[in-house]
């Protein structure tokens, strides 16, 4: 595996690969890799001739007072994990090359970004779509892999790719969890042991919601209330949002149907965690 930092060199290498008829599979990340990221690399490995993994802690998607500075970083650890999982090229650009002096262009997806994380993190998705669009232009992938842990991000990137006629396929992959159910996240290392225990309330709340829907509950408010009650039992947990939304439009679902997704954002101590579950899958087809 080769580590490439230079933007122009990465773009040139990818162009040459495409010209040789090679299929490029791409996994964009912010690094501090875990099994969730590696599941995407393995899926990319199964589909591409060349697997490109990018690691870039993108400053423009962090708001003032968010955890850009404390976001975990360890490139040599990541490189070893990426190599073992089957990446060919690790693209680790420098911020000053991604956003040089005079940088002035932004990609903004409207509507889908107004709710959920978009509402609690103003400007976040503008940073995400801008950097992902730039990475797509540099890497020129045939297919790009994203985790459905970041459910809204995946919906926004799909929307951007369709709207801007980007010539690639966006592929969503399942959430990878720790053995006890906590969704894997680079931010989990920032949890103290006590917070790590309390962080399990997200998964347990999802379990409560799932059981209610399986038992026939179809009123979103009742399910949301049960989820909130479980999370509020934890002294260090502060709910950012608990919503049930339509999987494609992200509009609030009042009556639960096959499209319903439960989405959670909870601060545990100072660490913001997100999780989701497609509750609609628990509803039998009528
Ligand atoms: P990040 O490094 O957090 O920006 O994530 C990079 C990619 O990995 C995104 O597509 C995430 O959705 C995905 N990802 C992060 N955590 C998980 C997880 N637990 N399971 C599956 N995919 C994940």
């Amino acid at each position: 595996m080769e580590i490439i930092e230079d933007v122009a060199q990465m773009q040139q290498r990818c162009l040459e690969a495409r010209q040789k008829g090679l299929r490029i599979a791409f996994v964009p990340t912010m690094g501090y890799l875990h099994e969730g990221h590696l599941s995407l690399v393995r899926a990319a490995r199964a589909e591409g001739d060349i697997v490109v993994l990018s690691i870039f802690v993108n400053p423009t998607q962090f708001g003032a007072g968010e955890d850009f500075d404390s976001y975990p970083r360890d490139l040599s650890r990541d490189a070893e994990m990426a190599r073992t999982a089957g990446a060919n090229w690790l693209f680790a650009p420098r911020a000053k090359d991604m956003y040089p002096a005079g940088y002035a262009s932004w990609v903004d997806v409207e509507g889908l970004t107004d709710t959920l994380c978009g509402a609690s993190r103003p400007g976040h998705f503008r940073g995400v779509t801008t950097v992902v669009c730039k990475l797509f232009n540099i890497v020129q992938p045939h297919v790009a892999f994203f985790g459905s842990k970041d459910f809204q991000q995946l919906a926004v990137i799909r929307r951007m790719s369709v709207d801007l006629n980007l010539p690639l396929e966006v592929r969503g992959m399942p959430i990878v969890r720790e053995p006890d159910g906590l969704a894997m996240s680079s931010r989990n290392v920032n949890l103290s042991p006590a917070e790590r225990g309390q962080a399990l309330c997200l998964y347990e709340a999802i379990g409560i919601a799932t059981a209610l829907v399986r038992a026939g509950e179809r009123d979103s408010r009742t399910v949301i209330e049960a989820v909130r009650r479980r999370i509020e039992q934890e002294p260090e947990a502060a709910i950012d949002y608990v919503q049930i939304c339509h999987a494609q439009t992200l509009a609030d679902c009042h009556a639960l149907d096959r499209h319903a997704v439960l989405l959670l954002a909870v601060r545990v101590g100072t660490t913001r965690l997100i999780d989701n579950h497609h509750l609609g899958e628990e509803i039998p087809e009528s």
Side-chain angles (χ1 to χ4, degrees), residues 27-40 54 56 61 71 145-151 153-154 157 173-178 182-187:
V27 180
T29 80
M30 297 205 298
Y32 212 73
L33 301 181
H34 51 66
E35 268 304 311
H37 298 118
L38 299 182
S39 72
L40 304 181
S54 68
F56 181 60
Q61 71 188 70
Y71 198 85
F145 291 83
F146 293 86
S148 59
K149 198 204 99 184
D150 298 87
F151 191 89
Q153 170 175 283
L154 176 57
I157 286 167
M173 301 299 291
I175 300 175
V176 177
R177 298 180 178 280
E178 299 287 354
L182 178 67
M184 289 196 179
S185 164
S186 306
R187 291 189 167 96

Side-chain angles (χ1 to χ4, degrees), residues 139-168:
V139 174
Q140 307 161 69
H142 296 85
V143 56
F145 291 83
F146 293 86
S148 59
K149 198 204 99 184
D150 298 87
F151 191 89
Q152 185 179 18
Q153 170 175 283
L154 176 57
V156 168
I157 286 167
R158 283 192 200 285
R159 183 79 259 160
M160 171 185 79
S161 301
V162 170
D163 289 353
L164 299 183
N165 310 97
L166 303 183
L168 59 97

Side-chain angles (χ1 to χ4, degrees), residues 235-279:
E236 294 300 322
I239 294 173
D240 182 349
Y241 60 74
V242 175
Q243 281 176 247
I244 296 179
C245 301
H246 185 288
Q248 277 84 47
T249 66
L250 303 185
D252 273 323
C253 272
H254 300 293
L256 284 158
D257 62 20
R258 300 264 309 157
H259 301 290
V261 181
L262 170 66
L263 296 129
L264 317 175
V266 177
R267 223 169 279 278
V268 180
T270 56
T271 307
R272 187 173 181 278
L273 303 175
I274 56 172
D275 204 340
N276 67 81
H277 180 64
H278 196 150
L279 287 178

Side-chain angles (χ1 to χ4, degrees), residues 44-90:
R45 180 70 282 156
E47 285 219 16
D49 301 306
I50 300 283
V51 174
V52 182
L53 170 81
S54 68
I55 294 184
F56 181 60
V57 184
N58 174 36
T60 66
Q61 71 188 70
F62 290 80
E66 291 190 349
D67 58 349
F68 175 71
D69 291 329
S70 63
Y71 198 85
R73 295 162 167 90
D74 188 340
L75 190 62
S76 51
R77 167 189 174 278
D78 285 351
E80 185 51 29
M81 292 169 80
R83 190 186 61 74
T84 310
N88 299 102
W89 296 337
L90 195 173

Side-chain angles (χ1 to χ4, degrees), residues 87-108:
N88 299 102
W89 296 337
L90 195 173
F91 178 46
R94 289 171 291 259
K96 66 176 172 42
D97 297 332
M98 291 294 277
Y99 300 107
Y103 188 87
S105 302
W106 302 95
V107 179
D108 212 343

